[in-house]
Amino acid sequence: MEGQQFHMAQHHMAHNTRMTGWIGWIWFAGVVMIVDGFFNAISGLYAIFNSDLYVQIRDKLLVFNLTGWGWVHLILGILLVLVGITLLMGQAWARVAAIVLVAINAVTQMAWVAANPWWSIVVIAIDVVILYALIVHGREAAALQD
């Protein structure tokens, strides 16, 4: 009985969520997360298999060498794609996971900036826009489930 009341309350809250033009920004965030994830995965694979493609500045990357950062970007890219897809499906947990992953991605791009400066700056700027959309207007994503 209690579970049914909880479900009814959740359903009622979802219907009370007013859909505005910002729902498009949630879609934008999800799609860009997927694209960002693919680019991260490609960048990671380049670093893993062809570390000589990047200009390596001695002792500028934190913790790992280029191959290590390649693995970080590959794994983070896969996670960004998966969470971006679930965000577009309107899953409530995906919003929190997306915020965490995008924030982590921005931080890893700061460390990656010595190896790929222009790309890192572009990705950080896109991550900030995604975070804004998810944090400020993320509640509207509940309307995607209806």
Side-chain angles (χ1 to χ4, degrees):
M1 183 72 166
E2 187 175 303
Q4 184 181 10
Q5 288 174 337
F6 177 74
H7 178 68
M8 287 174 47
Q10 255 187 333
H11 186 66
H12 181 67
M13 284 174 43
H15 284 295
N16 284 343
T17 303
R18 192 170 57 101
M19 190 184 299
T20 66
W22 277 96
I23 197 68
W25 281 93
I26 302 303
W27 277 93
F28 168 81
V31 170
V32 172
M33 279 181 62
I34 293 168
V35 172
D36 197 18
F38 279 120
F39 285 149
N40 265 8
I42 291 167
S43 179
L45 287 172
Y46 272 176
I48 291 168
F49 296 115
N50 300 310
S51 61
D52 58 332
L53 289 177
Y54 288 108
V55 176
Q56 187 170 1
I57 300 171
R58 187 170 178 85
D59 299 326
K60 292 293 181 181
L61 293 175
L62 304 175
V63 183
F64 303 119
N65 59 16
L66 282 176
T67 303
W69 277 113
W71 282 106
V72 168
H73 282 279
L74 177 61
I75 293 166
L76 188 57
I78 292 168
L79 290 173
L80 282 166
V81 169
L82 294 175
V83 172
I85 291 169
T86 57
L87 182 67
L88 291 177
M89 293 171 35
Q91 298 297 316
W93 63 268
R95 178 177 164 225
V96 174
I99 290 168
V100 170
L101 284 175
V102 171
I104 290 170
N105 190 49
V107 170
T108 61
Q109 291 298 328
M110 287 296 292
W112 187 247
V113 78
N116 204 352
W118 291 107
W119 179 251
S120 293
I121 291 168
V122 168
V123 171
I124 291 167
I126 290 170
D127 286 345
V128 168
V129 174
I130 293 170
L131 286 171
Y132 176 77
L134 292 173
I135 293 168
V136 176
H137 298 284
R139 286 189 180 268
E140 295 176 31
L144 294 173
Q145 289 180 323
D146 294 336

